[in-house]
Amino acid sequence: MAEKYTAEIVPLNAEKIGTAPHGAATFTIDGAQMKIHIDMFDTPANVQHWEHFHGFPDGKPAEIATAAQDANGDGFVDLPETEPVSGTTMVPFDAEPAKMHVPNDSYPVADAEGHYAYDKLVDLKELQTAFNAAFGSDDLQLDKRVIYIHGVPDTLKLPATVQGTVMNYDAHVTLPIAVGKIIKA
């Protein structure tokens, strides 16, 4: 019997980015595979969107960030500001999630209307092995995780206070634009 998890994805930073990204995610674990489906609407158009689940390695339940997490009062909830409630970036939803290599250019790109759909079939053992190497457990604990969608155009003026540079990717790439709590269906 397959295990299914879902997340309703709601906007974050919408008033600052000029659009209200929203969508849904489904994670279906069936035997040796996990099927991931993410459908997003009203994201910044023609932009690559990093997407991941975040959480706490100790298994503490992650919660979604809200405007209340804007610790420095600049009007943006940036990546570092999500960490106290959502934990760390864990598994990327890119071309190869089981490799768990977060900073790369193989994430979905929204179309001219700001829509994209992501579908991936992942080898569960391969993902669990990489997850164990990174976080000391092979238990993904999806029902204790949150999903984040990131990314705004380079042309969006961000204040210097917006943080989140990851390697050579700046805060335009990592700015959270939508978030959802993963629950067991």
Side-chain angles (χ1 to χ4, degrees), residues 40-62:
M40 289 299 299
F41 301 90
D42 299 324
T43 68
N46 305 310
V47 171
Q48 177 173 251
H49 294 289
W50 282 17
E51 48 185 11
H52 318 90
F53 78 64
H54 293 221
F56 295 97
D58 67 3
K60 174 181 146 186

Side-chain angles (χ1 to χ4, degrees), residues 35 49 56 59 131 135 140 157 165 168 170 183:
K35 182 180 183 198
H49 294 289
F56 295 97
F131 194 81
F135 300 109
L140 300 177
K157 183 83 173 109
T165 299
N168 59 327
D170 74 4
I183 60 169

Side-chain angles (χ1 to χ4, degrees), residues 9-32:
I9 302 171
V10 298
L12 185 62
N13 291 313
E15 52 293 331
K16 291 294 188 177
I17 68 171
T19 187
H22 60 95
T26 307
F27 305 89
T28 307
I29 297 174
D30 195 358

Side-chain angles (χ1 to χ4, degrees), residues 1-5 26-36 120-125 128 140 142:
M1 180 104 178
E3 280 183 73
K4 190 173 182 180
Y5 299 83
T26 307
F27 305 89
T28 307
I29 297 174
D30 195 358
Q33 296 183 314
M34 179 168 65
K35 182 180 183 198
I36 305 164
K120 189 61 67 178
L121 201 54
V122 179
D123 180 284
L124 197 54
K125 281 286 178 232
Q128 288 170 323
L140 300 177
L142 290 174

